[in-house]
Amino acid sequence: MNPFPKKSATAWPTMLPPTLQQHAEQRSFDAGATLFRQGEVPRSIFYVLAGEIRLLRRERDGMEVILQRSVSGFFAEASLETEHYHCDAVAARASLVLSIPIQAFREALDEDRSFCRRWMSLLAREVRTLRAKCERLCLHGAEERILHYIESEGMAGMVRLGQTRKAWATELGLTHETLYRTLRRLQQQGIIRIEANCIRLIR
Amino acid sequence: MNPFPKKSATAWPTMLPPTLQQHAEQRSFDAGATLFRQGEVPRSIFYVLAGEIRLLRRERDGMEVILQRSVSGFFAEASLETEHYHCDAVAARASLVLSIPIQAFREALDEDRSFCRRWMSLLAREVRTLRAKCERLCLHGAEERILHYIESEGMAGMVRLGQTRKAWATELGLTHETLYRTLRRLQQQGIIRIEANCIRLIR
DNA sequence: CGTACTTTTGAATCGCATCAAATCTGGTGG
DNA sequence: CCACCAGATTTGATGCGATTCAAAAGTACG
């Protein structure tokens, strides 16, 4: 059932200082499992080793918005500062996660200057990514958003999609139908080239 | 011409440690003045004392997107980590700004633990704000975005707009026409109440 | 008092969401 | 190994809502 053996060979995150590694507990989640729910009090910081965790918020009408997708690394970084979670965390696939007690984490930030620097750098990177995403979502037109995504998330005019197109559509603030159609049109016009889950910008 | 006297009575930010206050230089900008441009190398961290600074990026078609609006406090926080600015900074009105050499700032973060904590807390808050904004922009429909804004940016179902409605429309990813129309409709339906630059959610 | 910008409203258009349905895919269990 | 199922992918038709273009009235500021 669980695809991850207890003693996993997965690379331990180099970012984590030794002190914290002692406190870190490895946990596995089946697809669909909930790590935490909106409103709960944060007790741990999580680090994805394998699989995929999604932060999502459910709207009035039942629609759910994906706030963050994590395939590797920390997620819900802001929960370090908050009294309550602002969203749910759900395993999109079977996943392996490090769980670090929040108290130990705070102490490590206080004591380990190098770790603290890396943490700030991580937060700053998150801010930049989110700003780029906001900029993209402010664009009207499916085409513009897709091209903006390739340019800002990809390297050298090429992105590797680590998700289904349906999920990508949600991230772009579009319906999946519109995404499919626009992709097809862009390819027909010779603006992009699609191979498996790589999309390349021509020119 | 310049509305701010050299020796301003503006409250010095309590957040800034004494060491940094020595390095901080007070500068004033006329409306429309540019603080920095996309691509330039960050040499200072800025702190708004008065006025309004906008971070904006210009798109291919000449349209500009407002990435951040700062009326008070730090802005372009992520520039601490980057080689180049990713956007322009422009004074929307005559503004008074503290300019802190980036090197001194980094040293203060390293040496002053309390300041470092507050800086991380500030970054985390920024992450949460930006996530909320992304969530909002993913909503289809002008009405939903407006209500989401009031609920998440306001307090007790009420927001005070510190900007023109036109600018607000841009922040919501809408045209100003749509914003005006939707506001009128919402008010007619008795869902919101508009007074000057306060908008209140009924019930 | 004039200029620039915001606010407001109108009409026409276009693009995206929506509903519907068929096909394809990967994973499950018999 | 195959049948089956849930979900992703793909395409079509339709309607609504946001954009767009246009223009007038209001407002702030020098």
Side-chain angles (χ1 to χ4, degrees), chain A residues 55 57 59-61 63 65 67-68 76-78 81-82 86 109-111 113 116-117 119-121 123-124 126-128 130-135 137-140 144-145 147-148 151 170-175, chain B residues 55 57 59-61 63 65 67-68 76-78 81-82 86 109-111 113 116-117 119-121 123-124 126-128 130-135 137-140 144-145 147-148 151 170-175:
Chain A
L55 295 191
R57 198 125 87 188
E59 303 295 325
R60 267 181 293 285
D61 54 10
M63 278 275 295
V65 179
L67 295 178
Q68 191 186 10
E77 304 92 341
E81 303 280 340
T82 56
H86 294 217
L109 279 180
D110 265 3
E111 285 155 22
R113 205 161 292 175
C116 179
R117 263 196 295 269
W119 181 252
M120 285 193 293
S121 158
L123 285 176
E126 190 72 22
V127 168
R128 261 179 290 132
L130 285 169
R131 270 206 227 295
K133 188 170 174 184
C134 284
E135 182 186 350
L137 289 170
C138 276
L139 298 176
H140 310 254
E144 288 173 283
R145 291 197 198 159
L147 296 179
H148 184 286
E151 284 169 5
T170 307
E171 191 181 338
L172 290 173
L174 302 168
T175 59
Chain B
L55 294 190
R57 199 126 85 189
E59 302 295 325
R60 265 180 293 284
D61 54 11
M63 277 273 296
V65 179
L67 295 178
Q68 191 186 9
E77 303 92 342
E81 303 281 338
T82 56
H86 295 222
L109 278 180
D110 265 2
E111 286 156 20
R113 204 161 293 174
C116 180
R117 262 196 295 269
W119 182 252
M120 284 195 292
S121 158
L123 284 177
E126 190 72 23
V127 168
R128 262 180 289 134
L130 285 169
R131 269 205 227 297
K133 187 170 175 183
C134 284
E135 184 186 347
L137 289 170
C138 275
L139 297 176
H140 310 248
E144 289 172 283
R145 289 195 200 161
L147 296 179
H148 184 286
E151 283 168 6
T170 308
E171 190 182 337
L172 290 172
L174 302 169
T175 59

